[in-house]
């Protein structure tokens, strides 16, 4: 019922910035929790950031103070601003949506986007 489409990925040098976007479409009017995940080849998938309906955010320790997750007031687009990018940030980034649970306390991410590639080089 919900469709997610990521955009904004690309290639940057270390220290650079990118802003990823996740557009939500379908019949839903709102959501309980949105999240950005990433996965690099040969590595486990990581939860990078979460955002609930009250705009409360959480972050992976390694991106704290560098990344910012936010949304449009209409709930239809969620962003991930990434600053001071490092080689370790290279990965495919996915957004996911939960309509169940108590905000981001116990989300069920039933909807996923196709991903957008972020490549950081030096």
């Amino acid at each position: 019922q919900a469709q997610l489409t990521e955009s904004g990925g690309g290639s940057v040098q270390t220290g650079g910035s990118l802003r990823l976007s996740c557009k939500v479409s379908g019949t839903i009017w709102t959501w309980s929790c949105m999240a950005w995940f990433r996965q690099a080849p040969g590595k486990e998938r990581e939860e990078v950031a979460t955002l609930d309906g009250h705009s409360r955010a959480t972050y992976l320790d390694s991106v704290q103070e560098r990344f910012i997750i936010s949304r449009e007031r209409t709930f239809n687009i969620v962003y991930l601003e990434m600053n001071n990018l490092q080689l370790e940030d290279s990965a495919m980034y996915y957004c996911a949506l939960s309509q169940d649970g108590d905000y981001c306390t116990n989300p069920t991410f039933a909807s996923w986007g196709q991903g957008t590639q972020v490549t950081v080089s030096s």
Side-chain angles (χ1 to χ4, degrees):
Q1 58 183 55
Q3 298 180 76
L4 309 181
T5 305
E6 302 100 333
S7 62
S11 298
V12 297
Q13 292 187 324
T14 55
S17 298
L18 285 173
R19 189 177 77 162
L20 308 182
S21 298
C22 177
K23 184 176 181 180
V24 182
S25 61
T27 59
I28 65 169
W29 289 1
T30 188
W31 37 261
S32 295
C33 183
M34 289 285 295
W36 285 96
F37 293 82
R38 69 185 184 189
Q39 187 167 32
K43 295 185 178 180
E44 295 182 353
R45 186 173 64 195
E46 298 179 303
E47 183 180 271
V48 178
T50 68
L51 186 72
D52 70 16
H54 291 296
S55 294
R56 294 174 296 195
T58 68
Y59 298 95
L60 182 69
D61 286 348
S62 61
V63 308
Q64 188 79 37
E65 307 298 331
R66 295 192 296 119
F67 290 13
I68 301 172
I69 187 170
S70 62
R71 64 166 174 84
E72 291 288 347
R73 60 194 299 178
T74 56
F75 288 84
N76 67 319
I77 305 177
V78 175
Y79 303 100
L80 183 68
E81 180 184 331
M82 305 183 295
N83 301 301
N84 192 23
L85 285 161
Q86 304 298 307
L87 296 177
E88 310 85 73
D89 296 317
S90 293
M92 184 72 73
Y93 283 71
Y94 303 88
C95 64
L97 178 150
S98 174
Q99 296 186 78
D100 301 322
D102 185 16
Y103 298 98
C104 289
T105 300
N106 57 338
T108 300
F109 295 112
S111 299
W112 293 76
Q114 295 300 306
T116 185
Q117 180 69 43
V118 173
T119 302
V120 185
S121 61
S122 62

